[in-house]
């Protein structure tokens, strides 16, 4: 190791997959309550308050979390966490760990549930591509070095872009998957019903918790991913003394 520059070595696919899966789990542990609150707010919009004057149970992301803790206990914020961690180890490890390899394959080294599938495809494209493009732009313009501030900035931008692009699909997916049987004939019918009954703004129901969750998830995940990847590479490199 000369001058401590182990980061110049190219990590293997196995290192990337392991680092991505681990980082995904770390990000889920940090941001899971925000995701839970987001889903509660989105599902709550399934119907308007009834004529008898009943009020909305949840208001705002932090108000939702407080209500959940008060009425259901703190553990309710992490309901489904085990399944979420399993998903990250099998999903994030592949989609993020193999991203560089797939990009190199299709660019040849040049530098130039249907609703659920749609949502994941949009999130993956906006998340990974935005992070990659902004990170490369920052490095090419010499605005920052390839270190934590650069990773933080690129991850924040990726989270914001993903929220803007994916929120409508995410809301439709959540509404559709939590609807009673027969309520909607399909995801398109669900979207059309939302548009007619609640207007265009309904597609951004729960935008703030979605933004907080995706931005914080991206920051924790990508920063952790970069650091874990470097740590594994440093550990694998032979200890040479000069």
């Amino acid at each position: 190791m000369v001058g401590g520059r182990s980061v110049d070595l190219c990590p293997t696919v196995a290192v990337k997959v392991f680092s991505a899966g681990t980082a995904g789990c770390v990000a889920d542990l940090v941001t899971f309550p925000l995701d839970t609150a987001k889903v509660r707010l989105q599902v709550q919009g399934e119907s308007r308050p009834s004529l008898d004057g009943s009020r909305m149970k949840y208001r705002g992301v932090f108000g939702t979390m407080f209500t959940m803790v008060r009425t259901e206990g703190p553990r309710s914020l992490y309901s489904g966490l085990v399944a979420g961690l399993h998903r990250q180890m099998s999903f994030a490890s592949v989609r993020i760990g193999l991203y560089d390899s797939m990009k190199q394959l299709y660019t040849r080294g040049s530098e130039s549930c249907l609703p659920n599938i749609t949502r994941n495809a949009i999130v993956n494209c906006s998340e990974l591509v935005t992070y990659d493009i902004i990170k490369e732009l920052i490095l090419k313009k010499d605005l920052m070095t390839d270190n934590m501030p650069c990773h933080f900035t690129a991850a924040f931008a990726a989270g914001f872009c993903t929220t803007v692009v994916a929120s409508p699909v995410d809301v439709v997916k959540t509404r559709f998957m939590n609807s009673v049987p027969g309520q909607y004939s399909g995801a398109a019918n669900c979207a059309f019903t939302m548009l007619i009954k609640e207007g265009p703004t309904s597609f951004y129901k729960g935008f703030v918790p979605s933004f907080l969750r995706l931005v914080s998830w991206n920051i924790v995940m990508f920063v952790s991913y970069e650091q874990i990847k470097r740590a594994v590479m440093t550990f694998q490199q032979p200890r040479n003394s000069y």
Side-chain angles (χ1 to χ4, degrees):
M1 181 167 59
V2 180
R5 298 196 56 175
S6 60
V7 295
D8 292 337
L9 296 178
C10 182
T12 64
V13 173
V15 170
K16 293 179 181 178
V17 169
F18 171 78
S19 302
T22 304
C25 288
V26 173
D28 247 25
L29 286 170
V30 174
T31 65
F32 205 83
L34 293 172
D35 192 42
T36 304
K38 178 205 71 172
V39 172
R40 292 291 183 97
L41 285 169
Q42 289 178 344
V43 173
Q44 179 176 247
E46 185 66 22
S47 59
R48 293 183 180 277
S50 59
L51 297 178
D52 62 2
S54 60
R55 301 177 59 186
M56 302 293 271
K57 183 179 180 180
Y58 303 117
R59 294 184 180 276
V61 57
F62 296 110
T64 299
M65 294 170 64
F66 176 78
T67 300
M68 291 177 62
V69 171
R70 180 170 53 84
T71 60
E72 305 173 43
R75 297 184 63 178
S76 64
L77 296 176
Y78 284 91
S79 178
L81 176 63
V82 174
L85 295 180
H86 287 168
R87 177 176 180 272
Q88 295 305 331
M89 284 304 298
S90 59
F91 183 51
S93 60
V94 173
R95 74 182 179 96
I96 298 172
L98 295 182
Y99 172 75
D100 286 335
S101 300
M102 292 298 101
K103 184 180 73 171
Q104 292 172 8
L105 175 64
Y106 284 103
T107 60
R108 300 186 181 278
S110 64
E111 296 183 6
S112 302
C113 109
L114 182 57
N116 199 38
I117 295 175
T118 303
R119 187 262 184 189
N120 286 336
I122 292 175
V123 168
N124 289 338
C125 290
S126 54
E127 231 173 36
L128 298 175
V129 174
T130 302
Y131 177 81
D132 185 48
I133 290 175
I134 293 179
K135 178 184 172 183
E136 287 190 1
L137 182 63
I138 290 174
L139 296 178
K140 285 182 179 179
K141 297 294 184 179
D142 291 325
L143 301 176
M144 300 178 185
T145 59
D146 189 4
N147 221 316
M148 193 174 294
C150 173
H151 307 156
F152 182 96
T153 303
F156 183 93
F160 175 76
C161 292
T162 302
T163 307
V164 173
V165 173
S167 277
V169 180
D170 191 34
V171 173
V172 172
K173 181 210 73 170
T174 303
R175 292 282 190 91
F176 182 66
M177 294 180 67
N178 287 276
S179 62
V180 297
Q183 183 173 359
Y184 304 115
S185 60
N189 177 253
C190 176
F192 181 75
T193 303
M194 289 173 56
L195 179 62
I196 296 301
K197 291 187 175 181
E198 304 175 49
T201 57
S202 64
F203 293 100
Y204 283 92
K205 175 79 71 175
F207 180 85
V208 173
S210 294
F211 170 76
L212 292 175
R213 196 263 174 174
L214 279 174
V215 168
S216 57
W217 193 93
N218 273 272
I219 290 173
V220 175
M221 203 293 302
F222 280 114
V223 171
S224 299
Y225 171 61
E226 299 280 7
Q227 298 304 312
I228 293 172
K229 184 172 63 176
R230 292 185 178 193
V232 173
M233 290 298 296
T234 301
F235 179 79
Q236 286 184 336
Q237 186 173 351
R239 308 283 187 192
N240 296 327
S241 56
Y242 293 92

